[in-house]
Amino acid sequence: MRFKSSLLVTGLVSVAFAVNPTWAQPAPPYQGQVGRTLADSKEWWPDPVKPPAGSPNVVWMLIDDVGFGAASVFGGSIATPNFEALAAQGVRFTNFHTTAICAPTRSALLTGRNSSSVHEAGFSHTVLSAGFPGWDGRVPAEDGTIAEILRDQGYATFAVGKYGVTPDEEATDAGPFDHWPTGKGFDHFFGFLGSQTDQYKPDLVEDQAHVKPDGRHLSEQITDKAIAYIDREKKAAPDKPFFLYYAPGATHAPHQVAAEWSDKYKGAFDDGWDVYRQKVFEQQKRMGIIPANAILPERNLSVKAWASLPPEQRKLYARFMEVYAGYLTYTDHEIGLLIDHLKAVHQFDNTIFVVMIGDNGASKEGTFYGDIDRSLVAKPMSEQENIQYNLAKINEIGTPDSVEGNYPLGWAQAANTPFRFWKSDANSEGGTRNPLIISYPKVIKHYGEIRTQYGHVIDILPTTLELLHLSAPDTIRSVPQQPIQGTSLAYALDDAKAPSRHRIQYYYIFGSRAIYQDGWKASLAYPNHFLSSSPDSTKPFDENAWELYNMDEDYTERVDLAKKYPEKVAELRALFEQQARDHQLYPLITWDDVLNGRIHRNKDSKSLKEEFESITHHSDEK
């Protein structure tokens, strides 16, 4: 056991804390009386803000790049016992959605508003943002975060792990810090500001300054820091509740984890991704995660049948998945240490847990063959050259030397069982549907049950506020606030049959798009996806090639009804355009616009690949 006492944990904390002057609250109007002398004056002191006695703590957990069918708690083959334990005393939502990629999901989660409404239709990275209201990557003050809301209600607020929505230009120790976590309501932050970082050499930040990593795995460091923050706060103010946003870099690339974890899965994936999909699909049915009438779609066209691969490729690809599985189980283990500590300090029973297993679908960024060290960026290789290169480095997969570390495309589809496609495909459930667990024993009466009501990441903030009996504020620090756009899911916690209240939702990621309304979904794929292995990558984009699915009857989007119901397609397309106008999604920027330098700020920059490398790997030299 890593933690022996709160004193030991506190000793692990660095002293690089900084005061954030942007959080100074405006003084309330003076309500006393000032006379010429003390005798004719009346003193007045504003009451300190305190939440009601016994107010629960809140822990949000957001795991990175996990598909719907990876974790055992939702029928996957990768052990996640601590997630299972939380689900056993809570409920699992099987119809919950993210935006299909990380930064839009995180901005929508933190604000309770759609990503383009809060200026994060793309990213906060220079090369993936644009000078339009929905695209500039700067979450505005009028779209306050959950941390800002709870801090003003008397909560301590902490964030650890991946933040992902700080503009590149502001992510230095010179600031400005308005878009850092400490500028968005968090008392303390420990983690990284970008989209991806090395797990052993992270681009590490504490509060408002970069700090030197200590060489341990990042997940271990953030868990220790979260525990230290909680212990220090509870020692100083035992009755003050806290909000913790726990967002590890795991299981995003690079897939890096100690061999003791990956070796637990030796041989577990030798049967390959086709067998995995079928096995998980059947398990999901037995568990009630998916409906009994669901049908497993055919393997994505760009993925080869496992049986067709030569033995050396199977050995290589199986090792990639062993490492990924160990990485996810290790992440669950670190969360278990946090939970055990909350139990030890008697905070567990009074804590609301909201666990989102994935900020998008499983990642397709590992190419057909898997990636170890960005070799394809340095020198394009043929299929056979790439396979031989990776085979020669098979023992490096998962180690600190595996600086990119990502599994091949076939495992991404398997991890998304039972859905088609993957991360960044906003048109597909494989890109947008993720597991959700809400655990709060004091309120949830029906432990271990499953909920099928439609939900979206913007619903988490209003759900949390309702469970806390709080309303969204009209102003934060005197700044008028935009309305919350999400719909609380609290109504469904004790009513499995309640009709869905979140009835309309749009999706858009650099060209791929979808619109959902009352069980119907219209979608449009976009070829040439960024870092994609799409089988359609050479086809011209056809803006009229919308597909239509009845999600109530066709759980896995197998039967395209667009030709049968063209009037429904037209109705939903018009609804998508209305949503795009209402949520400042225009202009509809695509991957081609980015790749071809059509965004003005990119015209004089380095190549997109060079820029993307600097975004995701600038910590390698730290």
Side-chain angles (χ1 to χ4, degrees), residues 307-580:
S308 71
L309 302 175
E312 62 179 8
Q313 280 183 252
R314 296 186 205 175
K315 175 184 176 182
L316 173 66
Y317 296 167
R319 184 56 185 163
F320 273 110
M321 190 57 174
E322 290 168 7
V323 167
Y324 179 79
Y327 192 25
L328 180 54
T329 296
Y330 168 66
T331 304
D332 177 89
H333 165 78
E334 286 296 318
I335 288 168
L337 292 179
L338 173 63
I339 291 170
D340 288 345
H341 189 77
L342 290 174
K343 291 178 179 178
V345 297
H346 309 293
Q347 295 297 320
F348 178 81
D349 290 335
N350 195 38
T351 298
I352 300 170
F353 292 92
V354 180
V355 183
M356 294 149 280
I357 308 178
D359 56 350
N360 42 243
S363 172
K364 62 185 176 182
E365 295 158 8
T367 77
F368 291 109
Y369 324 112
D371 194 2
I372 295 176
D373 59 7
R374 312 198 304 272
S375 56
L376 282 175
V377 174
K379 176 187 175 183
M381 298 182 187
S382 67
E383 175 179 351
Q384 196 55 38
E385 286 175 333
N386 189 246
I387 292 168
Q388 291 303 317
Y389 181 90
N390 284 346
L391 278 168
K393 290 176 170 275
I394 191 170
N395 292 328
E396 292 183 13
I397 299 173
T399 70
D401 293 328
S402 179
V403 295
E404 179 57 29
N406 207 335
Y407 52 25
L409 200 61
W411 285 120
Q413 176 167 26
N416 279 334
T417 303
F419 303 113
R420 300 181 303 145
F421 305 118
W422 25 61
K423 173 181 177 179
S424 87
D425 293 331
N427 55 293
S428 170
E429 297 293 291
T432 63
R433 195 180 297 216
N434 285 99
L436 169 66
I437 300 165
I438 300 179
S439 176
Y440 185 27
K442 284 189 175 182
V443 170
I444 296 172
K445 300 180 178 66
H446 305 288
Y447 292 181
E449 292 190 352
I450 288 170
R451 298 290 180 266
T452 59
Q453 286 89 349
Y454 192 92
H456 187 267
V457 67
I458 61 175
D459 299 338
I460 298 302
L461 184 149
T463 302
T464 301
L465 293 184
E466 183 170 347
L467 291 175
L468 296 176
H469 306 290
L470 296 174
S471 299
D474 294 327
T475 63
I476 293 177
R477 289 171 290 163
S478 301
V479 177
Q481 294 294 290
Q482 300 284 358
I484 299 298
Q485 296 170 0
T487 302
S488 171
L489 296 169
Y491 72 93
L493 292 177
D494 287 322
D495 189 352
K497 296 182 179 180
S500 296
R501 296 182 183 178
H502 191 138
R503 299 178 51 210
I504 296 172
Q505 184 58 49
Y506 76 97
Y507 299 86
Y508 187 88
I509 298 296
F510 289 111
S512 64
R513 66 202 73 173
I515 181 71
Y516 170 89
Q517 183 184 37
D518 294 334
W520 288 95
K521 177 180 174 183
S523 59
L524 181 64
Y526 191 84
N528 300 313
H529 287 186
F530 186 44
L531 297 181
S532 156
S533 304
S534 169
D536 302 335
S537 59
T538 60
K539 294 182 180 179
F541 176 57
D542 180 0
E543 195 162 356
N544 294 311
W546 284 75
E547 298 175 354
L548 177 69
Y549 298 97
N550 183 333
M551 300 302 297
D552 292 337
E553 298 178 1
D554 182 16
Y555 188 81
T556 55
E557 300 176 291
R558 294 177 60 256
V559 182
D560 178 11
L561 301 173
K563 292 182 179 179
K564 186 175 182 180
Y565 301 115
E567 71 286 350
K568 190 67 177 180
V569 176
E571 174 190 334
L572 289 174
R573 286 185 64 176
L575 180 60
F576 174 85
E577 296 298 329
Q578 182 62 54
Q579 290 286 299

Side-chain angles (χ1 to χ4, degrees), residues 33-350:
Q33 180 177 324
V34 180
R36 182 172 178 275
T37 67
L38 183 59
D40 56 8
S41 300
K42 182 181 178 181
E43 291 184 275
W44 177 79
W45 300 95
D47 293 329
V49 177
K50 290 184 179 180
S55 292
N57 309 306
V58 179
V59 175
W60 283 7
M61 297 178 182
L62 179 63
I63 316 304
D64 205 340
D65 278 12
V66 185
F68 189 87
S72 60
V73 67
F74 270 64
S77 292
I78 301 174
T80 51
N82 292 293
F83 289 150
E84 290 180 28
L86 287 173
Q89 62 168 37
V91 296
R92 282 169 289 180
F93 285 82
T94 60
N95 199 5
F96 178 73
H97 296 77
T98 55
T99 70
I101 207 162
C102 59
T105 289
R106 289 162 197 272
S107 62
L109 170 66
L110 289 168
T111 64
R113 302 165 178 95
N114 284 287
S115 55
S116 57
S117 294
V118 298
H119 298 216
E120 202 80 40
F123 287 80
S124 293
H125 302 312
T126 303
V127 74
L128 296 172
S129 58
F132 303 102
W135 291 88
D136 65 23
R138 287 160 168 78
V139 177
E142 59 265 28
D143 296 304
T145 70
I146 182 68
E148 291 176 285
I149 294 171
L150 294 186
R151 191 179 189 277
D152 283 357
Q153 291 293 328
Y155 273 69
T157 56
F158 315 127
V160 296
K162 174 174 172 175
Y163 191 60
V165 288
T166 299
D168 287 345
E169 300 94 320
E170 300 177 11
T172 74
D173 289 351
F177 301 107
D178 306 64
H179 295 105
W180 286 44
T182 52
K184 290 296 181 181
F186 289 102
D187 295 329
H188 294 298
F189 171 72
F190 181 82
F192 62 102
L193 300 176
S195 294
Q196 171 177 329
T197 198
D198 190 288
Q199 295 295 293
Y200 291 100
K201 296 173 289 184
D203 185 27
L204 195 59
V205 164
E206 182 154 17
D207 291 344
Q208 294 178 346
H210 284 79
V211 295
K212 185 176 181 180
D214 64 13
R216 296 179 299 151
H217 196 285
L218 179 60
S219 293
E220 182 174 335
Q221 294 182 62
I222 68 167
T223 302
D224 284 359
K225 190 65 69 170
I227 289 171
Y229 286 152
I230 292 167
D231 281 356
R232 187 175 59 184
E233 183 261 337
K234 288 299 178 185
K235 182 178 179 180
D239 297 328
K240 185 175 184 176
F242 66 83
F243 168 64
L244 170 64
Y245 177 41
Y246 183 97
T251 57
H252 196 290
H255 299 169
Q256 295 169 317
V257 70
E260 65 178 287
W261 294 99
S262 56
D263 287 353
K264 291 177 185 289
Y265 289 95
K266 277 193 173 180
F269 304 105
D270 287 356
D271 289 338
W273 44 62
D274 294 317
V275 170
Y276 180 99
R277 289 183 74 223
Q278 189 63 47
K279 177 183 175 182
V280 168
F281 180 74
E282 293 170 0
Q283 175 69 3
Q284 289 172 331
K285 281 195 174 183
R286 286 193 295 269
M287 294 172 63
I289 298 295
I290 63 177
N293 66 348
I295 298 173
L296 184 67
E298 295 295 320
R299 184 190 324 105
N300 288 341
L301 293 176
S302 50
V303 176
K304 292 182 179 180
W306 185 264
S308 71
L309 302 175
E312 62 179 8
Q313 280 183 252
R314 296 186 205 175
K315 175 184 176 182
L316 173 66
Y317 296 167
R319 184 56 185 163
F320 273 110
M321 190 57 174
E322 290 168 7
V323 167
Y324 179 79
Y327 192 25
L328 180 54
T329 296
Y330 168 66
T331 304
D332 177 89
H333 165 78
E334 286 296 318
I335 288 168
L337 292 179
L338 173 63
I339 291 170
D340 288 345
H341 189 77
L342 290 174
K343 291 178 179 178
V345 297
H346 309 293
Q347 295 297 320
F348 178 81
D349 290 335
N350 195 38

